[in-house]
Amino acid sequence: MPDSDYRDIRTLDLFAEMADEHFTALMRGAYVQNFPAQIELITEGEPSDFLHIVLAGSVDLFSAWNDRETSMATVRPISTFILAATIKDAPYLMSARTLEKSRIVLIPSQDVRGIFDVDNNFARAIVTELAQCYRSVIKAQKDLKLRTSLERLANYLIRQQHHAGGGAEFKLDFEKRRLASVLGMTPENLSRAFKGLQPYGVKVNGTLITIEDQADLRRFAKPNPLIDDFST
Amino acid sequence: MPDSDYRDIRTLDLFAEMADEHFTALMRGAYVQNFPAQIELITEGEPSDFLHIVLAGSVDLFSAWNDRETSMATVRPISTFILAATIKDAPYLMSARTLEKSRIVLIPSQDVRGIFDVDNNFARAIVTELAQCYRSVIKAQKDLKLRTSLERLANYLIRQQHHAGGGAEFKLDFEKRRLASVLGMTPENLSRAFKGLQPYGVKVNGTLITIEDQADLRRFAKPNPLIDDFST
DNA sequence: CGCAGCCTTGACAAATGTCAACAAACGTGG
DNA sequence: CCACGTTTGTTGACATTTGTCAAGGCTGCG
């Protein structure tokens, strides 16, 4: 594994505080791989053999049932995914596929569990990470259960704008069809939802969004830190 | 605190493996209280001062936004809730109210974090607990995003039947209005959903449910361990 | 250029929510 | 134990939201 990858991983909260020797042991068993776009990395229901880390690119976590499919989340560098399944040694609840060319680290789950047992700082870092993940999903669930699709889109745009620096113009960071799935609606419905936000000053041009009057949109969207602040 | 409460708590996975002295320290600062029904124990947005444990009764976790409200989960004995907020020292994301007369233990969050820092077994138990919680919410989210309300109800009935021992007859364990909220629909819609399941042999009489042909219902509901097995 | 995939749009259908009315169940105080 | 009022559940009529299907335009790429 290249030194730069090694250092990047080491700086993740999850690994930052663990003993050198344990980190080295984990990395010895790990391997880094470059995947093209649209590769299914893991499949829901299978045993969790590897903890994954996205170093570059992006990964879609999705789930299917009865011929329907939905995007649950997008993983961007640098972060891990399916930590919970790895720790519990339980089957994956979600599938994962690369959205673009991506650089992924795979660490054998067995190694992770082994180091978890002996490294107390690592165990504590995992607690923090899982608590964070848990809270994120709770927020997503509140978003789904308490808001209409129009409200979800409006709040998504506000979050995205903030994330992109707060300027009036910004780009969507994924395909509209996937955005629709993440927001829990169909692509057709998303198209119409964008139109439904025009009265609040939202202009759409391909993936470029312009929010003409932020206050107006916020009045409609009513963003709330207990739902929308996806950092905590 | 009565000895029997003390022992009940000690047997929880979360506390079973920790050092005696740490458990005792936690319990010293804790107090047990009996609450009547319909008492709001915590309010979303407030700082997480206490880790709560339900010893008896039941507690509804719910959330509100913009004059709407939804039930997120029900906590039954013996288990804890809002562990993630306690550990992260972050505001509650959900409110909690007693559904009936309930016996609740409150442990100051500060104490929990203090013991978490020094007791490695406790830290590991927290990991297991949080991973479990995380996976449960992911399942709930898949349920919401991949199924119609009729399908959610059908699968809920199957889970509930199984949970009640598997007999053709069983009782709902909460009010229909709350069940509706948990399943993400209105009470009126739930009423109609029950009727919609009649063709699959579901009979409703108050809170008593009869499933005449389990195979028929399952054919419709298509239960799936990656969504419905709420134990893992 | 021509194909393939995505996005949009319209017409329509299905699912879900809202409002109002009423019946049934429950709890309280007499 | 009953009477009363409150809450919950049900039902119907209707509105809104969301999904489905089909068609066409646009874009990117070989």
Side-chain angles (χ1 to χ4, degrees):
Chain A
M1 178 185 303
D3 255 20
S4 70
D5 289 347
Y6 188 95
R7 282 194 307 271
D8 285 349
I9 299 170
R10 186 57 151 142
T11 62
L12 284 175
D13 284 346
L14 191 57
F15 301 105
E17 301 295 329
M18 69 193 300
D20 262 325
E21 121 193 45
H22 295 147
F23 182 70
T24 309
L26 270 189
M27 289 305 111
R28 245 197 313 274
Y31 55 99
V32 185
Q33 211 166 334
N34 289 306
F35 293 94
Q38 304 300 336
I39 293 295
E40 187 155 326
L41 299 169
I42 65 180
T43 304
E44 55 181 318
E46 295 192 348
S48 49
D49 295 329
F50 296 95
L51 175 66
H52 294 237
I53 307 175
V54 186
L55 291 179
S58 54
V59 171
D60 183 35
L61 299 183
F62 65 100
S63 224
W65 177 81
N66 197 23
D67 286 330
R68 288 166 228 167
E69 185 181 306
T70 188
S71 273
M72 302 288 287
T74 303
V75 188
R76 293 176 189 287
I78 302 174
S79 46
T80 65
F81 58 95
I82 50 141
L83 179 57
T86 291
I87 287 298
K88 292 216 65 162
D89 197 5
Y92 298 131
L93 291 180
M94 299 180 277
S95 303
R97 73 164 79 90
T98 53
L99 289 171
E100 53 191 309
K101 219 158 80 65
S102 299
R103 188 168 175 77
I104 313 276
V105 186
L106 298 111
I107 309 179
S109 293
Q110 217 167 352
D111 296 0
V112 175
R113 288 190 293 271
I115 301 295
F116 166 72
D117 286 339
V118 297
D119 190 303
N120 299 321
N121 286 330
F122 186 47
R124 291 201 173 75
I126 290 177
V127 166
T128 306
E129 181 93 357
L130 284 177
Q132 166 99 346
C133 291
Y134 173 75
R135 288 171 64 89
S136 290
V137 192
I138 291 288
K139 287 174 181 180
Q141 184 144 357
K142 289 168 66 175
D143 193 44
L144 270 176
K145 291 186 78 176
L146 290 168
R147 289 171 171 164
T148 66
S149 59
L150 198 61
E151 291 164 343
R152 291 200 295 277
L153 175 60
N155 281 292
Y156 171 83
L157 292 178
I158 289 171
R159 294 198 300 269
Q160 189 58 25
Q161 181 191 28
H162 181 261
H163 194 256
E169 288 197 349
F170 61 94
K171 293 214 152 207
L172 294 176
D173 59 353
F174 28 59
E175 266 185 314
K176 287 185 185 166
R177 57 175 27 243
R178 266 183 18 76
L179 174 57
S181 184
V182 169
L183 294 177
M185 54 180 132
T186 58
E188 295 95 326
N189 199 359
L190 177 63
S191 256
R192 289 167 185 133
F194 272 122
K195 292 202 143 180
L197 290 181
Q198 275 180 14
Y200 303 99
V202 175
K203 292 259 182 299
V204 185
N205 193 329
T207 90
L208 183 70
I209 308 293
T210 310
I211 295 183
E212 299 185 326
D213 182 351
Q214 183 159 358
D216 204 16
L217 183 60
R218 292 179 76 91
R219 227 169 358 252
F220 168 74
K222 299 188 174 61
N224 180 313
L226 300 178
I227 306 181
D228 296 297
D229 177 8
F230 274 45
S231 64
T232 312
Chain B
M1 178 185 303
D3 255 21
S4 70
D5 290 347
Y6 189 95
R7 281 194 308 271
D8 285 348
I9 299 170
R10 186 58 152 142
T11 61
L12 284 175
D13 283 346
L14 191 56
F15 301 105
E17 301 294 330
M18 71 194 299
D20 262 325
E21 118 195 48
H22 296 146
F23 182 69
T24 309
L26 270 189
M27 289 305 110
R28 246 197 311 274
Y31 55 99
V32 186
Q33 211 166 333
N34 289 305
F35 293 94
Q38 304 299 336
I39 292 294
E40 188 156 326
L41 300 169
I42 65 180
T43 305
E44 56 181 317
E46 295 192 348
S48 48
D49 296 329
F50 296 94
L51 175 66
H52 294 236
I53 307 174
V54 186
L55 290 179
S58 54
V59 171
D60 184 35
L61 299 182
F62 66 99
S63 226
W65 177 82
N66 197 24
D67 286 330
R68 288 167 228 167
E69 185 182 306
T70 188
S71 273
M72 303 287 288
T74 303
V75 187
R76 293 177 189 287
I78 301 174
S79 46
T80 66
F81 59 94
I82 51 140
L83 179 57
T86 291
I87 287 298
K88 292 216 67 165
D89 197 6
Y92 297 131
L93 291 181
M94 299 181 277
S95 302
R97 73 164 77 91
T98 53
L99 290 171
E100 52 190 310
K101 221 159 79 64
S102 298
R103 188 169 174 77
I104 313 276
V105 186
L106 298 111
I107 309 179
S109 293
Q110 218 167 351
D111 296 359
V112 175
R113 288 191 293 271
I115 302 294
F116 165 71
D117 286 338
V118 296
D119 190 302
N120 298 320
N121 286 331
F122 185 47
R124 291 202 172 76
I126 290 176
V127 166
T128 306
E129 181 92 357
L130 284 177
Q132 167 100 343
C133 291
Y134 173 74
R135 288 171 63 89
S136 289
V137 192
I138 291 288
K139 287 174 182 180
Q141 185 147 356
K142 289 169 66 175
D143 193 44
L144 269 176
K145 291 186 77 175
L146 291 168
R147 289 172 170 164
T148 66
S149 58
L150 198 61
E151 291 164 343
R152 291 200 293 279
L153 175 60
N155 281 292
Y156 171 81
L157 291 179
I158 290 170
R159 294 197 300 270
Q160 189 58 25
Q161 181 189 29
H162 181 259
H163 194 257
E169 289 197 350
F170 61 95
K171 293 213 152 208
L172 294 177
D173 59 354
F174 23 58
E175 267 184 313
K176 287 185 186 166
R177 56 174 28 241
R178 194 182 355 282
L179 175 57
S181 185
V182 168
L183 294 177
M185 55 178 131
T186 58
E188 294 95 325
N189 199 357
L190 176 63
S191 254
R192 289 168 183 131
F194 272 121
K195 290 201 145 180
L197 290 180
Q198 275 180 14
Y200 303 99
V202 175
K203 292 259 181 299
V204 185
N205 193 329
T207 85
L208 183 70
I209 307 293
T210 310
I211 295 182
E212 299 184 327
D213 183 352
Q214 182 159 0
D216 204 17
L217 183 61
R218 293 179 75 93
R219 224 168 2 251
F220 167 74
K222 298 187 174 60
N224 181 314
L226 300 177
I227 305 181
D228 296 297
D229 179 8
F230 274 45
S231 64
T232 312

